[in-house]
Amino acid sequence: MAFRLRLVPEKTNINFFGYAGITFGGSVVLLVLSVVAVLTLGLNFGIDFRGGTTIRTESSQPLDVGAYRTALVPLNLGDVAITEVFDPGFGPDRNVAEVRLQAQGEDESISQATIDSMLSALQAVDPAVTFESVESVGPKVSGELIWSAAASVLLAMGGILIYVWVRFEWQFALGGLVALAHDVGLTLGLWAVLQLKFDLTIIAALLTILGYSINDSVVVFDRVRENLRKFNVMPLVEVLNLSANETLSRTIMTAGTTLLALTALLIFGGDVIRGFVFAMTWGVIVGTYSSVYIAKNVVLMLGVKRDWSKTDPRTVGRYADVETK
Amino acid sequence: MYTVSPMKQIAIWLAVAIGLAFALPNAFYSRVEVHNDAVAQGIDDTSWPAFLPSGLVNLGLDLRGGAHLLAEVQVGDVYETIMEATWPAVRDALAAERDTVGFVTREPSPADELIVRISEPAGAARALEIARGLARPITSLTGAGSTDIEVTGNGPLLTIRLSEAERAAVDDRTMEQSLEIIRRRIDEVGTREPTIQRQGEDRILVQVPGVGSAQEIKNIIGTTAQLTFQPVLGRASGADQVPAAGQEVLPSLDQEGVFFLLDTAPVVTGEQLVDAQPAFDEFSRPAVNFRFNVSGARAFGDYTLDNIGQPFAIVLDEQVISAPTIQSHIPGGSGIITGDFTVEESTNLAVLLRAGALPAELTFLEERTIGPQLGQDSIDAGTLAAIVAGVLVVGFMVLCYGLFGIFASVALAINIALIFSGLSLLGATLTLPGIAGIVLTVGMAVDANVLVFERIREELRVTKIPARAINAGYDRALSAITDGNVTTIMVACILFYFGSGPVRGFAVTLALGTLISVFTALMVTRSQIDLWVALRRPKTIEV
């Protein structure tokens, strides 16, 4: 027998409902806390949603954030935030900073004159400084972006709800939806607590998380559907547990390979997309968790209508593919 | 016993081979790029074999560096121009019936309306009738049945404005013209592969790869370049002097604090120019030579003949470039614009005049500039991450599934190559989030294989016959694979629809990666397993 790495034993018999108070209840508490965090702390919106300008500066000289700040004060730009950017890929002669400005005008993006005056002000304290990138979003566009972002997340959830409803039963669709709301909620909550930058790429990550999480839930649901037909006298709770145990190995494997790939991106992918990748990593973790501990619980609470009339339980064997609805 | 039939095997591997051929140029990116540029210029270049595909994945601005600008066209500007042009027609039509309507004067009005006063209130009904007679029916599909202007009367005052349908038609025309002129201007500067697209009602997206700052692009497209030759009525006392109707006060371009009072009706406009070239005047200062078309030449000739000794103004975008005095009749229809130009400015002005004026002003709503170095860094980082991710996932799969893990890894490699060929064929753009999408696909694409392999493991507990377990594994995993991937593709479509730029690139790679992963897992891996089973005829298998 050749060596095989087994993350999950061949046969598991975990009772996923055993600690429902801690797992499901805990998630409910975390979800509520997330909502509170978003409402009280608020999200740290990036320029995509708030309007304003982000400038990435690079210099071969050591960075002095204080000097930069002082240099920009006479320009009267309103809120200016300067942060140093770190990445293991930068050598000692690459010193990168990010300068964020509030929106300057009514509708429009930043004027070239402002950018030029900032560059000359910064070059006065550090002649080697250059602007690697300038991104500016006017308040008019950012106001629209925030709505289309929210609409896209809601539309994705709605679409998934309908698809799962058509392919399975409405109980599964609701279970999946609650799991998705959990994933979105916890991600927003974490971003509010850590005050991480929330921009369009995070929305892209959120949507990907939705896709990943529902994929996970659907695999379990698919097995539940199969087992409901196969063992139609078994109580629902046991069918759900059996299905989750049978698919556990796959759930862990897929989460494992995805997290491996994401870890590689997180370490080597550069600082530009680190926020995006971090959101995705977090999402794969909560998404995997929610499909195992949230989606099924909702299905159990709602119950599934099981149609006994068309099949005789005694004739249902291992290979009897009974196609009943 | 069911296995993949030989014909199907051939079809699968043929499809893979074709896919790989289309992905190949991307492995020699710079070489193929040089080759394609040469071919585009009509040069017979042999550095890349002609029988191979030469389509490349477009690199997004965040990878190549460049400028992205979202501009809003002030479509309302055009209403003003139209009203300005309507005034003489209204005046002349009413003047023809002076006996009934009396004298006609223009009243101050909002920019998109024309308000006319007649001195004989008794003639109001007749005046209304005459003005309405000027309205033309709209021929567009949506505006059928309505006319271009609406006239309302209020005692001796007539208010003329554009109808809703005409406004919509005008807006559309304005957008078309703006797009065309921006395209011409950017082409004149000769930047490669610019993207110029209409977005929504009144916006234009401009993406130009390879420029270091948005400034260059803004200089070119940000100026309206509305050139007019207007009669000068005199010097104005200052910017705050209130002009009478039909007159305006404009500042001088190079003389601080100097203002001119001008007639708003131009003698000639930039639209009547046929050519403009940078040149030098007799004092060797940079200037722009221009030539009018026939109608422009005649109008300019007649005007100069009648107004010798009078000054006229050359106005560019609401600023008086110069106000020379007419020395003599200028019949030839050509002339020179002098001003306080640098050589670069005069060259730019010539480009702008040649390409034509924008019908309306642009404001910039969004602007993103990425330096080429940052783009290259992102490509390097993304490539490194993808390689590391690939090695990790392959190692993990082989550790967990042995030989079957190798089959899955081969399928994974093919999957990534096929994503590139898909992107090349679609002409899609690869962005930094797009690279992240590919790396994510590396992790997620094995999911379909994992589903099958886990299922085969389960089946092996029931039956020891390899072929039967493999068949059952594939059959039973199918519904889970379908349902899971349909939802992912759905999400990718929504992302594509709502997202812009980089996020769109991510949606494309995610959707392609997911679609292709179903093909590679179900067909390519299956084909390898069946070939192996057929060749080795194993008594037992271990997954």
Side-chain angles (χ1 to χ4, degrees):
Chain A
M1 180 130 184
F3 171 76
R4 289 288 185 276
L5 178 69
R6 291 272 159 111
L7 293 180
V8 176
E10 193 166 303
K11 192 130 184 81
T12 55
N13 201 3
I14 303 167
N15 179 8
F16 289 100
F17 298 99
Y19 299 97
I22 298 172
T23 55
F24 191 75
S27 280
V28 172
V29 171
L30 279 179
L31 197 55
V32 171
L33 286 177
S34 294
V35 174
V36 171
V38 171
L39 290 180
T40 54
L41 301 170
L43 289 166
N44 178 12
F45 284 127
I47 57 162
D48 291 336
F49 297 138
R50 199 174 54 176
T53 305
T54 309
I55 297 174
R56 186 185 168 96
T57 69
E58 192 177 317
S59 171
S60 53
Q61 301 300 313
L63 189 70
D64 183 351
V65 171
Y68 277 24
R69 194 167 289 131
T70 328
L72 293 178
V73 166
L75 300 177
N76 288 323
L77 298 166
D79 260 351
V80 180
I82 304 174
T83 45
E84 185 163 4
V85 178
F86 297 99
D87 188 86
F90 298 161
D93 57 340
R94 288 189 65 190
N95 301 286
V96 179
E98 192 181 88
V99 183
R100 265 168 82 182
L101 308 181
Q102 68 177 60
Q104 303 287 313
E106 287 270 312
D107 288 346
E108 296 176 43
S109 57
I110 196 166
S111 73
Q112 194 62 44
T114 314
I115 299 175
D116 291 343
S117 63
M118 287 176 70
L119 183 60
S120 42
L122 290 182
Q123 277 174 342
V125 292
D126 179 0
V129 73
T130 52
F131 287 177
E132 278 290 283
S133 75
V134 177
E135 300 192 58
S136 184
V137 180
K140 192 167 185 176
V141 171
S142 63
E144 296 165 7
L145 285 177
I146 204 164
W147 284 114
S148 74
S152 65
V153 172
L154 291 178
L155 191 70
M157 290 174 76
I160 288 168
L161 178 77
I162 292 170
Y163 182 80
V164 178
W165 180 28
V166 170
R167 289 285 300 175
F168 297 88
E169 300 287 333
W170 64 270
Q171 294 90 339
F172 292 94
L174 266 185
L177 190 71
V178 171
L180 292 185
H182 165 266
D183 304 339
V184 173
L186 288 194
T187 308
L188 292 181
L190 186 72
W191 255 245
V193 169
L194 298 181
Q195 286 292 299
L196 298 171
K197 189 161 86 180
F198 193 88
D199 55 18
L200 272 182
T201 62
I202 305 299
I203 295 292
L206 262 183
L207 286 174
T208 318
I209 293 167
L210 293 187
Y212 183 89
S213 171
I214 199 68
N215 187 343
D216 243 16
S217 300
V218 160
V219 169
V220 180
F221 288 166
D222 178 74
R223 190 56 73 97
V224 171
R225 178 169 60 183
E226 187 183 325
N227 283 338
L228 277 175
R229 288 175 195 151
K230 209 185 297 176
F231 310 108
N232 52 8
V233 286
M234 195 186 266
L236 180 60
V237 59
E238 280 179 38
V239 174
L240 290 172
N241 248 333
L242 175 71
S243 308
N245 275 297
E246 283 177 349
T247 51
L248 187 62
S249 175
R250 173 266 159 195
T251 307
I252 300 296
M253 274 299 297
T254 299
T257 53
T258 308
L259 285 176
L260 273 181
L262 285 172
T263 310
L265 263 182
L266 209 51
I267 297 172
F268 302 108
D271 66 286
V272 180
I273 50 166
R274 193 152 287 143
F276 173 65
V277 177
F278 179 60
M280 213 106 82
T281 312
W282 166 256
V284 168
I285 295 169
V286 292
T288 305
Y289 175 86
S290 74
S291 61
V292 176
Y293 284 103
I294 308 288
K296 290 194 338 305
N297 287 55
V298 176
V299 174
L300 183 64
M301 283 174 205
L302 296 170
V304 177
K305 180 173 164 287
R306 299 167 78 174
D307 190 357
W308 312 104
S309 59
K310 286 177 193 158
T311 49
D312 182 350
R314 281 163 300 178
T315 64
V316 178
R318 184 85 176 106
Y319 280 103
D321 277 322
V322 186
E323 291 294 334
T324 50
K325 282 273 169 186
Chain B
M1 188 175 76
Y2 168 77
T3 46
V4 178
S5 71
M7 283 307 289
K8 231 174 166 179
Q9 290 269 12
I10 293 169
I12 290 168
W13 290 102
L14 202 65
V16 169
I18 293 172
L20 292 182
F22 278 103
L24 187 67
N26 294 298
F28 304 92
Y29 201 93
S30 49
R31 197 171 135 191
V32 180
E33 195 172 35
V34 171
H35 166 77
N36 286 354
D37 284 354
V39 170
Q41 287 166 9
I43 301 166
D44 188 26
D45 184 277
T46 51
S47 64
W48 183 253
F51 62 89
L52 284 175
S54 58
L56 288 172
V57 171
N58 288 324
L59 293 182
L61 290 183
D62 55 347
L63 295 181
R64 167 174 290 184
H68 158 119
L69 289 166
L70 182 67
E72 189 172 62
V73 181
Q74 302 299 310
V75 286
D77 287 3
V78 179
Y79 306 154
E80 193 180 346
T81 319
I82 294 178
M83 284 298 125
E84 207 53 58
T86 311
W87 161 235
V90 173
R91 182 189 56 201
D92 295 349
L94 291 176
E97 304 221 10
R98 183 162 300 163
D99 300 345
T100 341
V101 299
F103 294 105
V104 186
T105 47
R106 189 173 168 185
E107 295 282 307
S109 67
D112 57 348
E113 286 180 1
L114 178 65
I115 300 178
V116 173
R117 177 185 289 278
I118 51 171
S119 60
E120 294 288 338
R126 177 65 191 141
L128 206 56
E129 199 181 320
I130 295 168
R132 283 189 179 142
L134 293 171
R136 281 184 301 260
I138 292 178
T139 47
S140 77
L141 269 179
T142 44
S146 49
T147 53
D148 60 348
I149 53 171
E150 283 167 355
V151 188
T152 49
N154 179 15
L157 293 179
L158 294 183
T159 305
I160 298 164
R161 68 168 73 82
L162 294 175
S163 67
E164 279 304 314
E166 178 66 6
R167 276 170 194 245
V170 167
D171 289 356
D172 229 47
R173 234 169 16 236
T174 309
M175 290 303 293
E176 291 299 317
Q177 279 175 8
S178 304
L179 270 173
E180 181 53 35
I181 285 159
I182 289 176
R183 194 167 291 136
R184 259 190 268 160
R185 287 185 186 179
I186 290 181
D187 284 349
E188 285 259 6
V189 221
T191 337
R192 59 185 298 158
E193 297 163 46
T195 309
I196 299 151
Q197 282 172 342
R198 180 168 178 179
Q199 229 173 40
E201 285 287 298
D202 55 357
R203 292 185 185 166
I204 293 176
L205 175 71
V206 180
Q207 291 186 320
V208 186
V211 295
S213 99
Q215 167 99 62
E216 293 173 42
I217 303 301
K218 276 178 159 178
N219 281 350
I220 291 295
I221 64 171
T223 3
T224 323
Q226 195 81 250
L227 182 77
T228 50
F229 293 80
Q230 289 168 256
V232 176
L233 302 171
R235 284 287 179 94
S237 56
D240 46 357
Q241 176 176 337
V242 182
Q247 301 179 351
E248 61 186 337
V249 172
L250 293 182
S252 161
L253 178 67
D254 41 17
Q255 290 165 277
E256 192 89 14
V258 173
F259 293 87
F260 293 93
L261 185 63
L262 307 174
D263 191 330
T264 51
V267 179
V268 203
T269 68
E271 283 165 40
Q272 291 161 300
L273 284 180
V274 283
D275 193 21
Q277 293 295 338
F280 293 93
D281 66 2
E282 65 264 41
F283 307 111
S284 298
R285 291 176 310 184
V288 177
N289 265 329
F290 63 87
R291 206 151 46 77
F292 288 121
N293 63 13
V294 179
S295 72
R298 189 181 309 124
F300 194 60
D302 291 352
Y303 183 79
T304 49
L305 183 63
D306 297 344
N307 293 278
I308 291 173
Q310 300 289 320
F312 76 100
I314 301 174
V315 180
L316 183 75
D317 290 339
E318 314 272 282
Q319 284 186 313
V320 179
I321 297 184
S322 64
T325 305
I326 301 169
Q327 306 292 349
S328 62
H329 175 210
I330 307 175
S334 64
I336 189 164
I337 304 173
T338 54
D340 204 3
F341 298 134
T342 63
V343 175
E344 199 190 341
E345 281 167 350
S346 71
T347 314
N348 259 347
L349 180 58
V351 166
L352 296 178
L353 292 180
R354 266 204 310 277
L358 283 173
E361 204 182 317
L362 296 182
T363 53
F364 293 99
L365 300 180
E366 193 185 327
E367 158 184 347
R368 296 173 197 261
T369 323
I370 289 104
Q373 184 55 46
L374 184 58
Q376 190 56 48
D377 288 351
S378 293
I379 294 180
D380 295 346
T383 315
L384 177 63
I387 291 170
V388 173
V391 170
L392 287 176
V393 170
V394 166
F396 188 60
M397 288 296 283
V398 174
L399 271 182
C400 290
Y401 297 113
L403 183 63
F404 279 58
I406 295 176
F407 292 154
S409 304
V410 171
L412 179 62
I414 292 174
N415 187 343
I416 293 168
L418 291 186
I419 291 178
F420 276 95
S421 62
L423 290 173
S424 308
L425 284 173
L426 289 175
T429 302
L430 183 66
T431 61
L432 182 56
I435 294 183
I438 293 177
V439 178
L440 187 69
T441 307
V442 171
M444 285 176 30
V446 292
D447 179 51
N449 279 317
V450 169
L451 273 166
V452 172
F453 293 169
E454 290 293 327
R455 201 68 208 223
I456 295 178
R457 272 187 185 172
E458 283 179 50
E459 300 303 330
L460 277 174
R461 285 176 216 146
V462 183
T463 172
K464 289 291 171 207
I465 304 164
R468 180 180 284 177
I470 292 167
N471 265 334
Y474 267 95
D475 287 350
R476 280 152 204 272
L478 189 63
S479 66
I481 294 175
T482 325
D483 286 335
N485 287 302
V486 166
T487 49
T488 306
I489 289 170
M490 192 158 75
V491 166
C493 290
I494 291 171
L495 255 182
F496 185 81
Y497 182 74
F498 279 97
S500 68
V503 172
R504 244 179 197 199
F506 173 70
V508 173
T509 52
L510 186 66
L512 267 179
T514 309
L515 266 178
I516 294 169
S517 81
V518 174
F519 166 73
T520 51
L522 292 184
M523 307 276 190
V524 177
T525 315
R526 178 77 202 256
S527 170
Q528 295 177 68
I529 294 174
D530 282 356
L531 278 176
W532 173 70
V533 170
L535 289 175
R536 285 293 177 85
R537 306 207 166 276
K539 288 279 179 293
T540 56
I541 54 168
E542 193 188 343
V543 177

